[in-house]
């Protein structure tokens, strides 16, 4: 069956897998919806995107994605409100960041219309897949990779842009125990840390495994030069509350400019919380933990939303964080999710209707 | 047709493409032989490798290679001597480095026997593809990538190891003009620079494009912290001759430990050339260029062999290198290629017979 939505051709799946899915017990990112958006870059241009049944991708063994890590991605969510209406959260920011990543990875810029119209058409088709169990949402994964071929370390001449969707539960359950890293690093000055490039993630797996063996679920990355300043976690930016001030590191070329991070900063200001965007040293955090002024730490990201950090390890010592009743983390999480799920006024204009 | 070579099952291609190939005019890495080796990691182990016709790879859109850059590779060459005998150069070093890369990228270790027997069986089958035109060879690309699925930033549970081969001409023609980088970087302290990880290459494309726009073919990377010390080029380690001393940077966690580099160091010592493995500052190179003691710079790598650098740019100035008659580069290149093509005694025991 062929149809056209927002100028995008749609080839519908013959059968749906939706009835096989246990929406009450969703894990994160492991079940995919019936359709995906595909858009090819060939002969120097992005062709019109198409919606097709979710299906395998076939590539030559010399496709550059297999050899040179030329790939970028985004992570977004679609939220269903009580009236079954579907919403996105600041999707234009994801498009902007995708193109920022694309530039750094020598991938051609993707037109905004292809991204936004493709996304909207796909979500309209997949609307029944957006879960309503508390804490769950439809995780959306736009990605671009080098499909052009050749064993020559240079940019590909062909790319694929795909959007796939996965109904998902929470990323972390409960509070997270993190290790502040002293040896390994995530990103170089002048490198690709600020881009959502595939290679940034693979490089974190081994140090994260080492941390997991010691009982930590995530690593807090520090600058690669001195390891004295905290940067971010594997898939979250990091906030620290000392006394009544909320601190987070400034973005730079090593840190992903998180959309949740900047939204949290805006909401915090709106809540009258004192915020400081400045370098935060490990020394300062450890001292604050010792003298009792360290009140909270939490991660913020699309997948993890706002994830409280229960304890951190540093140089062989563990430091527990207090359990607060009315924490900044819980207030900020409620504010941002109320906007995302259309349960509260959207004074910042962040919600984006899909249907 | 099924056959078994070194315990490896072989499914032969129905027809060969070899007669379509212009062996006199080969580019680098753009034509592939009739067969490839494939080995799957599933259920916690590497299964027995198989040789199959060169063919497309089919993967789920959620395969982690598309999202998290979890991939590594090697680059080797097979050389044909005057008696049509085929040789490899220090192949066990490639296997060792592949596993070093695998460890850092949280990819399971590949058994040496699978690598060596698979490689040998494949090359025995493809021996007619090894070119004999001067400067040409069969470029061999072993690679491993994450085929396991999931939109969760964690190591995959399935991988593919493949060896593909491409009859290839020279990587660079003539001498190379390079830019010493002051802004961008290739690798972080504590990062994955010493691994042959896909992501390390994609990150270089954009800065290399910027350099190309200014007329430079390659970037010489400097340390990400100060940009004062040279590290290596995109796919080559770098040597500098000041007076009669040959200098190269020590390997560290940011620099690929090149097999050509260490072979060149051994040959240079054997030739009675004074070598120093130590940090080489950009300042020192510029000063030497100004006072006339900078005699040579060259890159060394499997693909590029020994590639003389004709000029370098730094802070907007270009510095030309002299054209020497009996350069270290040409002496060392002759010594190493004579060993590789079995034209000279192999006093170091580096040649490895395939047939
Ligand atoms: C490395 C990294 N930092 C931070 C974030 C948070 O960014 P955002 O809030 O835009 O999801 C992400 C993505 O989720 C990430 O991958
Ligand atoms: C970044 C980098 N440096 C150096 C080299 C040279 O290493 P080898 O001599 O082992 O080929 C390579 C690979 O060819 C490389 O990719």
């Amino acid at each position: 069956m062929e149809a056209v939505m927002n100028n995008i051709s749609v080839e519908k799946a013959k059968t749906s897998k939706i009835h096989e899915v246990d929406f009450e017990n969703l894990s994160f990112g492991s079940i995919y919806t019936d359709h995906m958006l595909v858009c090819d870059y060939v002969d120097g241009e992005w062709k019109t995107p198409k919606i097709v049944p979710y299906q395998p991708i076939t590539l030559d063994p010399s496709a550059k994605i297999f050899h040179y890590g030329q790939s970028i991605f985004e992570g977004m969510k679609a939220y269903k409100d009580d009236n079954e209406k579907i919403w996105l959260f600041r999707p234009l920011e994801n498009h902007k960041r995708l193109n920022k990543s694309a530039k750094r990875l020598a991938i051609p810029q993707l037109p905004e219309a292809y991204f936004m119209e493709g996304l909207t058409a796909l979500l309209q088709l997949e609307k029944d897949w957006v879960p309503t169990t508390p804490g769950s949402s439809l995780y959306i994964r736009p990605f671009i990779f080098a499909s052009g071929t050749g064993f020559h370390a240079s940019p590909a001449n062909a790319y694929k842009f795909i959007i796939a969707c996965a109904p998902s539960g929470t990323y972390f359950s409960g509070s997270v125990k993190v290790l502040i890293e002293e040896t390994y690093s995530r990103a170089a000055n002048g490198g690709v840390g600020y881009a959502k490039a595939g290679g940034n993630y693979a490089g974190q797996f081994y140090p994260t495994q080492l941390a997991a063996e010691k009982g930590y679920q995530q690593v807090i990355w520090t600058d690669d030069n001195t390891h004295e300043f905290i940067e971010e976690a594997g898939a979250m930016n990091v906030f620290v509350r000392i006394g009544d001030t909320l601190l987070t590191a400034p973005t730079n070329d090593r840190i992903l400019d998180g959309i949740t991070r900047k939204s949290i900063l805006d909401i915090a200001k709106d809540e009258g919380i004192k915020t400081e965007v400045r370098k935060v040293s490990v020394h300062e955090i450890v001292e604050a933990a010792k003298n009792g002024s360290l009140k909270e730490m939490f991660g913020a990201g699309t997948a993890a939303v706002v994830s409280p950090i229960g304890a951190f390890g540093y140089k062989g010592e563990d430091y527990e964080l207090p359990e607060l009743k009315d924490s900044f983390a819980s207030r900020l999480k409620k504010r941002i999710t109320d906007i995302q799920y259309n349960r509260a006024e959207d004074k910042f204009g962040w919600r984006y209707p899909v249907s």
Side-chain angles (χ1 to χ4, degrees), chain A residues 259-329:
Chain A
I259 296 162
T260 317
R261 173 186 173 280
K262 58 186 170 199
S263 306
I264 289 287
L265 282 172
D266 286 347
I267 294 173
K269 282 175 211 153
D270 191 61
E271 289 273 307
I273 292 170
K274 190 170 165 231
T275 61
E276 281 178 22
V277 176
R278 61 161 173 84
K279 287 168 89 173
V280 181
S281 74
V282 184
H283 178 78
E284 179 178 7
I285 297 173
V286 170
E287 284 307 302
K290 286 183 180 160
N291 70 29
S293 61
L294 181 69
K295 300 293 182 202
E296 294 180 54
M297 286 175 71
F298 58 86
T302 298
V305 198
V306 172
S307 283
I309 292 170
F312 71 89
Y314 181 65
K315 289 205 198 289
E317 295 268 351
D318 277 353
Y319 301 84
E320 302 279 328
L321 280 109
E323 275 196 44
L324 303 184
K325 270 196 81 173
D326 181 36
S327 68
F328 285 180

Side-chain angles (χ1 to χ4, degrees), chain A residues 97 186 196 201 232-237 256 258-260 300-302:
Chain A
R97 190 170 62 190
R186 184 185 168 278
K196 233 170 138 68
Y201 296 81
E232 60 173 319
M236 314 185 286
N237 296 107
L256 196 84
I259 296 162
T260 317
T302 298

